[in-house]
Amino acid sequence: MTDNGRSAAPANRRDHRECDALTERRRIKVEHGSERDRLSQIIEGSPVPTFVIDENHVVTHWNRACEAIFSVPAATIIGTRRQREIFYGKDRPCLADLIVDQAGEEAYERYYGGKYRKSALISGAYEAEDLFPVFQGGPHWLFFTAAPLFDKNGTIVGAVETLQDVTDRKLAEMAFLASERRFRDLFETMSDSVVILQPQDEGTEFVVADMNPAAEAACLTDRDQMVGKPLRDAASAAPLATAGPVSTETALATLDAVRRVWRTGRPESRFSIQHDEGGKALDCRNTHFIRLPTGEIACLSEDVTERERNQAELEMAASVFRHTVEGIFVTDARGIIVSVNPAFTRITGYDEQEAVGQSPRLLRSGLQGDDFPGILWESLKKEGSWQGQIWNRRKNGEIFLEWATITQVLDAQGRPSRYVAIFNDITDLHRKDEQIKHQAYHDALTGLPNRLLLSKRIEQAIAVARRNGHGIALLFIDLDHFKTINDCFGHDMGDKLLIEVARRLKSCVRDSDTVARLGGDEFIIVIGDTSLPESVSHVCHRILKSLRQHFSEPEVEVVTGSIGISQFPEDGGDAETLLKHADIAMYESKRRSRNTISFFTADMTHKMMRRLELESDLRRSIDHAELEVYYQPKADITAGDIYGMEALLRWRHPIRGMVPPDEFIPLAEEIGMIVPIGEWVLRTACRDAMGLHAAGQRLHLSVNLSMQQFRDPDLVARIAGILAETGLAPEWLELELTETIIMTEATQSIEAFNQIKRLGVALSIDDFGTGYSSLSYLTKLPIDTLKIDRSFIQHCGHDGNSATVVSAIINLAAQLGHSVVAEGVETVAQLAFLRERKCSMIQGYLLGRPVPLSEFTTNLARWGKIVAALASPIA
């Protein structure tokens, strides 16, 4: 072979290889093209909405099902990235985009929250369900799956996403859940007790399957304790139909009734009633046993106690109507008499047959004037009632004067349906002019002279004293804490106490002296001659001693009074001046300690002026930023750390300097400023606590509530608003109330405390041991903490009684599940005493004094070291 022949052979082989490679590439391209065509045909023919994007997030396939569901033609989206806008109405990735980006879990979580999951069938695929609000025709719920597309090297070159419209299923689920919630809400909020019983052993036994809150309340038990309990045991432990203890016979009768209803399917009902010793209905119930389609038995217990009582009250009202001494007649809306009582007949002479069907003009005397009926009816229409004197004529022609009260009764639509007239014959009273004068010059409750007669008596006494050359004295007596007595026992009992006080005051002075009532709990005694041997002080002490004697109605062991004394001629020469100065002296007694006497001095006027100035300044203190909140640390000596702080109000007066809290806080309560000041303190303290939290000092905050704040109907809303405004979590706030507040407001304390507790705020009783707490209320109130008053802590080391009280409070708190804080701890000996009795939470000067927030923050580290040292047992 020639040289040219040898060189041509390799070249030919190279040409053949290149030709073969080109042929293979064309074959693969044809096959890939065929695969893409087949994939396109499969996607296009699929009834499931499907689209495909490439590695650049560009849509490459958008089948007819997608066009139908989104109303977007394939021609307008293929080759674009509009899938984001179509799905969400804004530029945010869809599930396929995240797969192409090979996003991490945090991206899925950010865009889909808890509504996505990895596919259990396809590796690398994700599934999600979401609401898409931008669809034509309204929002749609879609279930969608996105899976990666790989090339032959395993590289993601795109993603395919399939969609399923699950709106109907989702709406059905939501409707079902809403229906379930409605029925559950109905079950939970029904006022009737409902207990669901599940049959066992073919209906021979039943167990409690469920019960609503009304049943829990009626059964005096908890649902979790009752569910699963056999009916025989449940009925004995907590009644299903009545309140109070249930006998074995009653429990068996209930079981028999449930068995019959389960067997026959016919509902049964039972009525039960319990009375107290006086015959009053305590608990009346209609109980219905119904078999449900599920085979369970529903026990519905309706409390009809109020209805039975109303019926009894109606019967009593009818009895009163028949037997009352006041004449009563009732007319219809046209003013025609429809009913009269026997007293009507006794007073007017007309019997029922003669009066019914007539107009009240039957009694008209003609003495009232022609315009009187029109005035009366106009007042009735405008005010709904009328009261006054009417001259009327009896059947025998005799004229009589009656005191009448006419009341309009409205029907359910607010239209007048009846008019009720109640009247008394006051003819004799009218004729007794002296008695009318007595009413004009005397207190209606006590029969004592009133202010009008008192002024005349004082002027008369001054005139006699000037003529005879002797002195007189005015005693201004104000009962201490009478409002508390009124609130605790009611106004009726308060009135009875005032009547007894009036009687005792009269027994302490001579017949020639005057005892008068100004109003409320204020009394004045005029001693007409102070030159007699018995001194004014002796009379005052006799009065105080008399008041301290036991009262039977209401049951009050001790009533005290504060007495202010002014004298003629030293303290004034007329009634007005003497009364004013006696009032000032009485206030001085209140300020000093109560239950004492004070003679007026000129200096008291200056004190009163100081008080008035202080009151004026206090009203401007918030706006002038003079009030400050100090904080005192609270420590846990067992844990060895500072766990909280108590907010304490201080007033830095621009002229007087620091005004003592015991001087301005009672004044704020008296003048009604304590509610806005208390709200300011709570807001400031919560804001400061949040600042400490932000700085890493997460301390519990304690804030005191006053009596007036507790009575504020908007208290709970104010607390919630301040917490929301400041951002302080409720569990970091504790509100402190004194025993006096809790027991004075006992009737509303439980509900008010429960409302506050529902906010998540903790509650504590401050100064515990100094009031008169009822142990029964302590078990009912949702209290978290008892704070032992500092007076017991100060003496617990050397006073056996104080030590006993402190130990008893600690044991009581432990039994009730309350924590206990000892306040006023000042010595190591007191700390050792508390440690020995396992009281670990303390507050007092031993740890730190109340200081402004800046000093509090600075001292936290030092206080922490002190607490850490105190945490070690004392040698």
Side-chain angles (χ1 to χ4, degrees), residues 642-644 689-690 692-700 729 731-732 860:
I642 305 291
Y643 74 90
M690 277 300 296
L692 289 174
H693 286 199
Q697 300 292 344
R698 300 180 69 80
L699 301 179
H700 288 271
E731 60 267 22
W732 293 99
L860 269 176

Side-chain angles (χ1 to χ4, degrees), residues 692-709:
L692 289 174
H693 286 199
Q697 300 292 344
R698 300 180 69 80
L699 301 179
H700 288 271
L701 170 66
S702 299
V703 180
N704 293 281
L705 284 184
S706 70
M707 175 85 75
Q708 292 184 27
Q709 285 179 278

Side-chain angles (χ1 to χ4, degrees), residues 530-687:
T530 57
S531 65
L532 298 175
E534 187 175 45
S535 69
V536 174
S537 296
H538 185 75
V539 173
C540 291
H541 287 298
R542 185 163 65 238
I543 289 171
L544 294 178
K545 180 179 179 181
S546 174
L547 292 178
R548 287 194 294 267
Q549 301 302 312
H550 175 76
F551 284 78
S552 59
E553 282 191 330
E555 283 284 345
V556 179
E557 290 296 329
V558 176
V559 173
T560 62
S562 298
I563 303 179
I565 306 161
S566 65
Q567 300 182 88
F568 170 85
E570 298 93 328
D571 303 325
D574 58 78
E576 182 179 354
T577 303
L578 290 173
L579 279 171
K580 180 177 70 174
H581 288 170
D583 189 9
I584 292 174
M586 182 277 296
Y587 187 84
E588 177 65 15
S589 294
K590 291 278 189 188
R591 189 192 67 80
R592 284 166 54 197
S593 62
R594 303 178 190 268
N595 191 30
T596 188
I597 66 174
S598 295
F599 285 85
F600 174 78
T601 63
D603 180 59
M604 289 182 185
T605 303
H606 300 303
K607 290 182 179 178
M608 181 60 69
M609 291 303 299
R610 169 183 165 82
R611 179 185 180 278
L612 293 175
E613 291 172 0
L614 203 64
E615 175 183 332
S616 177
D617 292 344
L618 184 59
R619 293 184 185 277
R620 298 191 295 266
S621 61
I622 296 180
D623 294 337
H624 290 185
E626 296 170 9
L627 297 181
E628 299 177 13
V629 180
Y630 277 39
Y631 298 95
Q632 186 175 30
K634 299 165 72 174
D636 187 334
I637 57 175
T638 299
D641 61 9
I642 305 291
Y643 74 90
M645 60 183 183
E646 181 176 359
L648 300 166
L649 179 62
R650 296 292 184 267
W651 181 14
R652 190 181 300 277
H653 194 280
I655 299 174
R656 296 186 175 94
M658 296 300 289
V659 181
D662 59 355
E663 183 176 349
F664 75 85
I665 290 179
L667 178 60
E669 292 178 339
E670 184 178 338
I671 66 175
M673 282 291 295
I674 198 65
V675 172
I677 289 176
E679 182 177 355
W680 177 86
V681 170
L682 180 60
R683 180 177 286 104
T684 301
C686 288
R687 188 181 296 117

Side-chain angles (χ1 to χ4, degrees), residues 125-302:
Y126 281 82
E127 300 171 348
E129 189 172 271
D130 204 357
L131 177 66
F132 293 86
V134 296
F135 271 44
Q136 293 186 6
H140 278 60
W141 282 90
L142 296 181
F143 176 80
F144 41 98
T145 302
L149 297 176
F150 300 95
D151 62 10
K152 64 180 181 179
N153 298 319
T155 302
I156 294 178
V157 296
V160 59
E161 185 166 338
T162 61
L163 312 166
Q164 180 180 357
D165 188 345
V166 293
T167 304
D168 291 341
R169 173 179 64 78
K170 199 69 179 178
L171 292 176
E173 289 177 357
M174 293 165 64
F176 176 76
L177 291 175
S179 175
E180 283 289 304
R181 280 196 300 271
R182 284 195 298 270
F183 282 110
R184 191 67 197 181
D185 289 345
L186 177 63
F187 179 75
E188 295 288 340
T189 58
M190 283 180 65
S191 58
D192 293 346
S193 303
V194 182
V195 178
I196 306 300
L197 301 174
Q198 190 175 56
Q200 291 190 342
D201 298 332
E202 298 183 352
T204 59
E205 293 293 339
F206 293 82
V207 297
V208 177
D210 202 355
M211 62 194 309
N212 68 349
E216 291 180 290
C219 295
L220 306 176
T221 187
D222 182 78
R223 176 185 179 277
D224 294 336
Q225 296 177 356
M226 295 293 288
V227 169
K229 185 173 288 189
L231 174 58
R232 188 192 309 270
D233 299 337
S236 300
L240 299 179
T242 60
V246 173
S247 64
T248 303
E249 292 77 11
T250 302
L252 290 175
T254 301
L255 179 58
D256 289 341
V258 170
R259 286 170 175 168
R260 285 195 303 274
V261 171
W262 187 83
R263 235 179 10 255
T264 65
R266 291 191 297 272
E268 290 191 15
S269 298
R270 184 169 63 189
F271 177 77
S272 61
I273 184 169
Q274 294 184 10
H275 296 91
D276 62 12
E277 295 179 356
K280 181 180 179 181
L282 287 178
D283 186 85
C284 307
R285 290 181 179 274
N286 280 327
T287 303
H288 309 280
F289 301 96
I290 303 171
R291 177 168 174 167
L292 302 177
T294 60
E296 297 171 313
I297 300 297
C299 302
L300 288 79
S301 182
E302 176 190 9

